[in-house]
Amino acid sequence: KQEVTQIPAALSVPEGENLVLNCSFTDSAIYNLQWFRQDPGKGLTSLLLIQSSQREQTSGRLNASLDKSSGRSTLYIAASQPGDSATYLCAVLRTGFQKLVFGTGTRLLVSP
Amino acid sequence: NAGVTQTPKFQVLKTGQSMTLQCAQDMNHNSMYWYRQDPGMGLRLIYYSASEGTTDKGEVPNGYNVSRLNKREFSLRLESAAPSQTSVYFCASRLYSELNTEAFFGQGTRLTVV
């Protein structure tokens, strides 16, 4: 069974800091890994998708890396802003399955 | 482009009542999903439909039924609501392909069973 863990569960940083969110998964047979953002009381917004053949993806201040062999992904946020405050979720799509398996998320607070 | 649309956004039910949560996507996706989100539990898959005409159980299917009405629509039914089904329900869709495109989510339905 695929299990996905996100550490830390919560993170509080001052504005301007660079930060790293971690995601680990137990089964390396994955199609892809997707990072989402969720604002309080809202749905999930897709940030980045990394296919299994890729090592990283970048979008603006966000950079996500994938190391399948170690079962790890990181989301790097550069020059954090208060508007980045949200819960960040990672999800993996297992090879041969249609199901996305989610981690429990990291709740990020960026203070002005 | 509306993406994934869920109705209703909020609902309060009494124990034992039934209701159907509606989901529609306009992205021509073939795979659709229903998840529930509970504090401390993350998102758990209830049912999914890999393509029109097929449905499969996810991690927590008990107490729910689904219908893939057509390619656009995937509904979730609670036949006899229980307080344990108080949750936020999310519908999602994606286009299955070798390139594995992103999954897109609706805004959620907040259900309270009293």
Side-chain angles (χ1 to χ4, degrees):
Chain A
K1 179 184 174 183
Q2 177 72 273
E3 294 183 358
V4 181
T5 304
Q6 291 187 247
I7 295 173
L11 182 63
S12 182
V13 300
E15 181 177 7
E17 275 204 7
N18 302 323
L19 57 98
V20 174
L21 307 180
N22 297 293
C23 173
S24 61
F25 47 94
T26 54
D27 186 348
S28 62
I30 64 170
Y31 271 138
N32 61 52
L33 185 145
Q34 195 168 352
W35 281 94
F36 294 88
R37 168 188 173 133
Q38 185 176 29
D39 294 290
K42 303 293 185 182
L44 281 70
T45 300
S46 178
L47 297 174
L48 290 164
L49 178 140
I50 311 177
Q51 296 174 25
S52 61
S53 59
Q54 299 174 321
R55 298 282 295 183
E56 64 179 62
Q57 279 284 349
T58 298
S59 176
R61 294 182 294 107
L62 305 179
N63 176 275
S65 68
L66 175 64
D67 184 345
K68 273 181 48 179
S69 61
S70 65
R72 297 177 67 178
S73 176
T74 61
L75 179 67
Y76 176 82
I77 303 177
S80 58
Q81 303 171 357
D84 294 330
S85 298
T87 296
Y88 291 80
L89 297 153
C90 68
V92 298
L93 187 71
R94 290 178 61 194
T95 303
F97 295 87
Q98 283 284 341
K99 297 178 279 190
L100 274 172
V101 179
F102 280 84
T104 51
T106 294
R107 189 170 65 254
L108 174 66
L109 176 64
V110 182
S111 304
Chain B
N1 191 344
V4 180
T5 302
Q6 292 182 233
T7 55
K9 289 184 170 53
F10 302 92
Q11 184 71 49
V12 178
L13 288 178
K14 294 182 179 179
T15 297
Q17 286 186 319
S18 63
M19 78 161 295
T20 300
L21 281 63
Q22 306 286 352
C23 175
Q25 52 88 14
D26 61 2
M27 296 174 282
N28 202 35
H29 287 171
N30 44 12
S31 298
M32 298 185 73
Y33 307 82
W34 278 105
Y35 286 87
R36 60 178 289 173
Q37 186 177 36
D38 303 290
M41 302 291 288
L43 278 91
R44 294 180 292 170
L45 183 65
I46 305 171
Y47 271 93
Y48 68 104
S49 173
S51 60
E52 186 178 355
T54 69
T55 60
D56 287 284
K57 295 179 180 179
E59 187 182 355
V60 288
N62 291 343
Y64 305 95
N65 286 300
V66 291
S67 295
R68 184 72 184 267
L69 303 171
N70 47 55
K71 191 172 186 179
R72 289 187 64 247
E73 299 173 288
F74 188 38
S75 63
L76 179 71
R77 183 161 178 83
L78 287 71
E79 292 291 351
S80 179
S84 61
Q85 294 178 305
T86 293
S87 187
V88 182
Y89 292 85
F90 288 101
C91 177
S93 71
R94 59 182 290 271
L95 180 65
Y96 177 74
S97 72
E98 291 300 319
L99 296 179
N100 291 300
T101 54
E102 299 169 274
F104 293 88
F105 280 74
Q107 289 300 297
T109 295
R110 283 151 186 80
L111 175 66
T112 301
V113 183
V114 297

